[in-house]
Amino acid sequence: MSLSETIHRANEAAAGKILVVDVPLTLESGAVLASYRIAYQTYGRLNADKSNAILVCHALTGDQFVADTHPITGKPGWWTTLIGPGLLIDTDRYFVICSNVLGGCLGTTGPKEANPATGQPWGLDFPVITIGDMVQAQVALIDHLGIDQLFCAIGGSMGGMQVLKWATAHPDRVFAAVPIATASRHSAQNIAFHEVGRQAIMADPDWCGGSYFLHDKRPERGLAVARMAAHITYLSELALHRKFGRNLQDRNAISYGFEADFQVESYLRHQGASFVERFDANSYLYITRATDYFDLAAEYGGQLAEAFRGGNVRYCVISFTSDWLYPTSESRVIVHALNAVAGNVSFVEIETDAGHDAFLLDEPEFFATLKGFIEGCARHRGLS
Amino acid sequence: MSLSETIHRANEAAAGKILVVDVPLTLESGAVLASYRIAYQTYGRLNADKSNAILVCHALTGDQFVADTHPITGKPGWWTTLIGPGLLIDTDRYFVICSNVLGGCLGTTGPKEANPATGQPWGLDFPVITIGDMVQAQVALIDHLGIDQLFCAIGGSMGGMQVLKWATAHPDRVFAAVPIATASRHSAQNIAFHEVGRQAIMADPDWCGGSYFLHDKRPERGLAVARMAAHITYLSELALHRKFGRNLQDRNAISYGFEADFQVESYLRHQGASFVERFDANSYLYITRATDYFDLAAEYGGQLAEAFRGGNVRYCVISFTSDWLYPTSESRVIVHALNAVAGNVSFVEIETDAGHDAFLLDEPEFFATLKGFIEGCARHRGLS
């Protein structure tokens, strides 16, 4: 069995449901994927008139296992606090869909899959993809499931970018949209942090110009460094202080050496080491690139409001006070643009010191906001 | 000529003035340096009663070439805006001293110098040093120059930590102290960013466990990544936005690739590439470690005010509004501790969007503050 076959079979085992799309996908770059696979999970049942579907869009390093056990790490899904029977997004009432993004590494077509032209993993020959391309692939999945209109598209961070793209490119197919802790375009600082991560990966000799699978190597050290740098941006200064402060691993003394004396060092190293077990380095390059390229206004002559004009989507925009990766000011830009075209939008800034990762945590005010919005929309949609 | 000899001679040529100290230095770790070298520069003339000396303490990757051309880069000194004939720190009036810190790589003893026991570069056998150790070495230099009391100790960032250490450990030897954009201890976030940099260096196979000189290699890729990550923390989000925004290198279009499409990417890559030409990777490990270990209150039972008790030093504490590496709150901690023991302190927070690096820039309000403080102190000291 060749290496690419091994990868392929591992994916099959890990990925849950798979849709193979044989209709060619023309990417924003102009490149064409002749066919592609979408790995996805669903929870709950689609109702008779197919009006109760909620699409969950995952963040940079998330995946489709939003509400059940992750096949690699064995950990609970990343939004089990929110999604499940009787929970806020109640799978007894809603049909929840989550798919691995295009370019990802958990079953959906991406750089570690076999390039049909060669039979070997794509590596850097995989075309660069965008948030818009990810959404195009999701549209194919929603079509396949026979759903005309999503009841709701929801996601945080890069997931929020997909939500914005869905609601502006396909306003008739989204009843309600919840972009959380996100932005309508990446800032210079956002791009800068991603570039550090990419350079860390590319600096690793085991990256082999992107062809590491062919050399039976993986750039684990570079990818770990990339993850460590990114992870700092997911937490607030205060959250790090509260969690670790200057606490030492060994309570008694510093070592006067380069081992992880401080708990925060040990924590970061662990974040790096565990990440490389579940993520592909080239996917990290492609997905960070997609978020860097994201600029919703650019397609509308730089006028963000024009992206929202004419749509009838109900928006709930949510930000967190201590999120310095996608600060509240970025959400305000979205809200102001919606206001400028008399869009239907509620906006809530949640007070928390948890930083960007607050959207993954059990934040009571955040949950109360979501609950109110989803229940209100359900009544309007006749789902109550 | 052996490799270590080559390094040694290069240092001699580059380093300017050298003091060789043959009195053993017991470091805070307990390790002993039997002898050590201090590379330093001076500007202006010491007056007859030796009362006009200003010690400038440099930041993490700074050096002794504060007011004249750098021997490696050929660029002007890093504080030529501030220091020179007729300038704010007027070398026609003051005798300015700046030395490369212990553990540094521009002539002062550090990990790239020859270990007397082996004749080979120290590498990781060099003892871990602290901010206190750096100050001890500076004390030896000031003793050598026959100066009982510095008129002023001034420095930003890690330089400010040295200033705080000078003024608290040797209050009788410092008339005035100016700690700028600094902190009395490193926060968890500060440590985290430094740890990313260290891991980036150590992940580079060319680091060779710290013995890269013996293998005729240098971990340039790892060091460049470390610099890139750190560099982001030196600028504010707004400064990056103003400077680069989402501007493209090629104005017309994104490349759908991994070249530096955005100007901010190209800028960061340049910062990384130029840094490795002038800095030693092991020095970066040692000096970041020294700042992580810095915790002024720890030596005083966790009571920062006790560090300042009994001293008679005049302090001017300066912070910058957009500095998120050492935010104003850190300066306030210092000021509150000084207030608690009725210390002589003025505190100014400068409004600027330049971020941490503001202390290196031509900031009019910053300069006006410094000018007022130094002139006032000069009158008190009888230097006017």
Side-chain angles (χ1 to χ4, degrees):
Chain A
M1 194 156 62
S2 76
L3 180 64
S4 63
E5 275 175 296
T6 310
I7 293 165
H8 188 75
R9 296 207 182 172
N11 285 341
E12 292 283 358
K17 295 177 182 167
I18 297 278
L19 170 67
V20 178
V21 185
D22 283 325
V23 182
L25 177 63
T26 303
L27 304 171
E28 287 190 23
S29 66
V32 177
L33 284 176
S35 77
Y36 55 103
R37 293 152 33 101
I38 304 171
Y40 66 103
Q41 293 295 97
T42 64
Y43 311 87
R45 283 189 189 179
L46 194 59
N47 62 8
D49 61 355
K50 303 185 173 178
S51 64
N52 69 336
I54 295 182
L55 177 69
V56 177
C57 301
H58 71 72
L60 200 67
T61 65
D63 51 53
Q64 66 271 39
F65 295 95
V66 60
D68 49 4
T69 306
H70 194 282
I72 297 176
T73 67
K75 288 187 180 167
W78 53 271
W79 239 356
T80 44
T81 46
L82 206 63
I83 300 171
L87 295 184
L88 201 154
I89 294 180
D90 186 349
T91 49
D92 291 338
R93 293 178 61 196
Y94 301 108
F95 179 61
V96 175
I97 309 152
C98 187
S99 64
N100 189 214
V101 296
L102 200 64
C105 50
L106 208 59
T108 293
T109 295
K112 87 171 167 54
E113 304 299 308
N115 178 351
T118 64
Q120 299 296 331
W122 280 97
L124 282 210
D125 289 333
F126 192 72
V128 165
I129 44 98
T130 65
I131 300 290
D133 296 331
M134 293 176 187
V135 167
Q136 277 204 84
Q138 288 161 357
V139 167
L141 172 63
I142 300 307
D143 286 346
H144 164 76
L145 296 171
I147 297 163
D148 283 336
Q149 188 191 50
L150 295 168
F151 166 57
C152 182
I154 182 171
S157 201
M158 187 183 84
M161 293 176 182
Q162 295 161 61
V163 169
L164 290 170
K165 188 72 194 177
W166 257 102
T168 52
H170 310 283
D172 297 337
R173 302 197 66 176
V174 182
F175 187 79
V178 188
I180 305 163
T182 192
S184 62
R185 52 114 184 79
H186 243 204
S187 72
Q189 193 186 64
N190 293 151
I191 297 170
F193 274 115
H194 274 178
E195 174 67 1
V196 168
R198 287 189 292 263
Q199 290 296 315
I201 291 166
M202 293 172 157
D204 188 332
D206 289 347
W207 180 62
C208 306
S211 304
Y212 42 90
F213 285 122
L214 298 181
H215 299 82
D216 209 16
K217 290 183 172 172
R218 288 182 65 201
E220 295 192 345
R221 287 165 302 181
L223 183 60
V225 169
R227 177 61 165 185
M228 288 171 67
H231 196 81
I232 301 174
T233 69
Y234 302 154
L235 303 175
S236 70
E237 200 278 334
L238 196 59
L240 276 173
H241 177 71
R242 221 178 352 95
K243 240 174 162 161
F244 307 109
R246 294 178 54 83
N247 296 340
L248 299 172
Q249 286 287 95
D250 170 353
R251 236 169 241 222
N252 297 313
I254 55 178
S255 71
Y256 291 103
F258 294 102
E259 288 310 303
D261 268 0
F262 296 100
Q263 287 177 11
V264 68
E265 295 176 303
S266 171
Y267 170 77
L268 276 185
R269 290 183 190 186
H270 172 75
Q271 292 296 328
S274 57
F275 183 62
V276 302
E277 287 170 19
R278 70 173 179 89
F279 216 83
D280 174 57
N282 281 338
S283 264
Y284 195 81
L285 300 180
Y286 278 85
I287 298 176
T288 56
R289 202 51 165 164
T291 57
D292 289 350
Y293 277 164
F294 186 60
D295 185 356
L296 192 55
E299 301 162 47
Y300 298 87
Q303 302 298 313
L304 185 60
E306 295 307 313
F308 298 108
R309 189 180 294 282
N312 198 28
V313 183
R314 287 151 181 82
Y315 286 89
C316 180
V317 176
I318 298 174
S319 71
F320 300 96
T321 48
S322 56
D323 182 354
W324 59 278
L325 191 62
Y326 299 112
T328 291
S329 55
E330 299 289 352
S331 283
R332 278 192 210 285
V333 168
I334 297 165
V335 173
H336 289 167
L338 276 159
N339 288 341
V341 293
N344 186 339
V345 57
S346 26
F347 167 48
V348 180
E349 182 188 31
I350 308 291
E351 181 82 33
T352 172
D353 66 7
H356 181 63
D357 266 359
F359 85 91
L360 295 169
L361 305 176
D362 186 353
E363 291 278 345
E365 204 199 329
F366 167 43
F367 281 21
T369 299
L370 262 186
K371 188 176 164 71
F373 179 76
I374 290 172
E375 286 183 358
C377 288
R379 276 193 301 277
H380 281 288
R381 191 66 184 89
L383 288 171
S384 296
Chain B
M1 195 157 59
S2 76
L3 180 64
S4 63
E5 276 175 297
T6 310
I7 294 164
H8 188 77
R9 295 205 184 174
N11 285 341
E12 293 282 358
K17 294 176 183 167
I18 297 279
L19 170 67
V20 178
V21 184
D22 283 325
V23 181
L25 178 62
T26 303
L27 303 171
E28 288 189 22
S29 65
V32 177
L33 284 176
S35 77
Y36 55 102
R37 295 150 33 100
I38 305 171
Y40 67 102
Q41 293 294 98
T42 66
Y43 311 87
R45 283 191 189 176
L46 194 59
N47 62 6
D49 60 354
K50 302 183 172 178
S51 63
N52 70 333
I54 295 182
L55 177 70
V56 176
C57 301
H58 71 71
L60 201 68
T61 64
D63 51 53
Q64 66 271 39
F65 295 94
V66 60
D68 50 4
T69 306
H70 195 282
I72 298 176
T73 67
K75 288 187 181 168
W78 54 271
W79 239 357
T80 45
T81 46
L82 207 63
I83 300 171
L87 295 183
L88 201 155
I89 294 180
D90 186 349
T91 49
D92 291 337
R93 294 177 61 196
Y94 301 109
F95 178 61
V96 174
I97 308 152
C98 187
S99 63
N100 189 212
V101 295
L102 200 64
C105 50
L106 207 59
T108 292
T109 296
K112 86 170 166 58
E113 305 299 309
N115 177 351
T118 64
Q120 299 296 331
W122 279 98
L124 281 212
D125 289 333
F126 191 72
V128 165
I129 43 100
T130 65
I131 300 291
D133 296 332
M134 293 176 185
V135 167
Q136 276 205 82
Q138 287 162 356
V139 168
L141 171 63
I142 300 308
D143 285 345
H144 164 76
L145 295 171
I147 297 163
D148 284 335
Q149 189 191 50
L150 295 167
F151 166 58
C152 183
I154 183 172
S157 202
M158 186 183 84
M161 293 177 182
Q162 295 161 61
V163 169
L164 290 170
K165 188 73 193 175
W166 258 101
T168 52
H170 310 283
D172 297 337
R173 303 197 65 176
V174 181
F175 186 79
V178 188
I180 305 164
T182 192
S184 62
R185 52 114 185 81
H186 243 203
S187 73
Q189 192 185 64
N190 292 151
I191 296 170
F193 274 115
H194 273 178
E195 175 66 1
V196 168
R198 286 190 293 262
Q199 290 296 316
I201 291 167
M202 292 172 159
D204 188 333
D206 289 346
W207 180 61
C208 307
S211 305
Y212 43 90
F213 284 122
L214 299 181
H215 300 82
D216 209 15
K217 289 184 173 171
R218 289 181 65 202
E220 296 191 344
R221 288 164 302 181
L223 183 60
V225 169
R227 177 62 165 186
M228 288 171 67
H231 196 81
I232 300 174
T233 70
Y234 302 154
L235 304 175
S236 70
E237 200 277 336
L238 196 60
L240 276 173
H241 177 72
R242 221 178 351 97
K243 240 174 161 159
F244 306 108
R246 293 178 54 83
N247 296 341
L248 300 171
Q249 285 287 96
D250 170 353
R251 238 169 239 218
N252 298 314
I254 56 178
S255 71
Y256 292 102
F258 295 102
E259 288 309 304
D261 267 2
F262 296 101
Q263 287 176 10
V264 67
E265 295 175 303
S266 171
Y267 170 77
L268 275 185
R269 292 183 188 186
H270 172 75
Q271 292 296 328
S274 58
F275 183 62
V276 302
E277 287 171 19
R278 71 172 178 86
F279 216 83
D280 173 58
N282 282 337
S283 265
Y284 196 81
L285 299 180
Y286 278 85
I287 297 176
T288 56
R289 202 52 166 162
T291 57
D292 289 351
Y293 277 165
F294 187 61
D295 186 355
L296 193 54
E299 301 163 45
Y300 298 86
Q303 301 299 312
L304 185 60
E306 296 307 313
F308 297 109
R309 188 179 295 282
N312 197 28
V313 182
R314 288 152 180 82
Y315 286 89
C316 181
V317 176
I318 299 174
S319 71
F320 300 97
T321 49
S322 56
D323 182 353
W324 59 280
L325 190 62
Y326 299 113
T328 292
S329 54
E330 299 287 353
S331 284
R332 279 192 211 282
V333 168
I334 297 165
V335 173
H336 290 168
L338 276 159
N339 288 342
V341 294
N344 186 338
V345 57
S346 26
F347 167 48
V348 181
E349 181 188 31
I350 307 292
E351 181 82 34
T352 173
D353 67 8
H356 181 64
D357 266 0
F359 85 90
L360 295 169
L361 305 175
D362 187 353
E363 291 279 344
E365 204 198 329
F366 167 43
F367 281 20
T369 299
L370 262 187
K371 188 177 163 71
F373 179 75
I374 289 172
E375 286 184 357
C377 287
R379 277 194 298 278
H380 281 289
R381 190 67 184 89
L383 286 170
S384 295

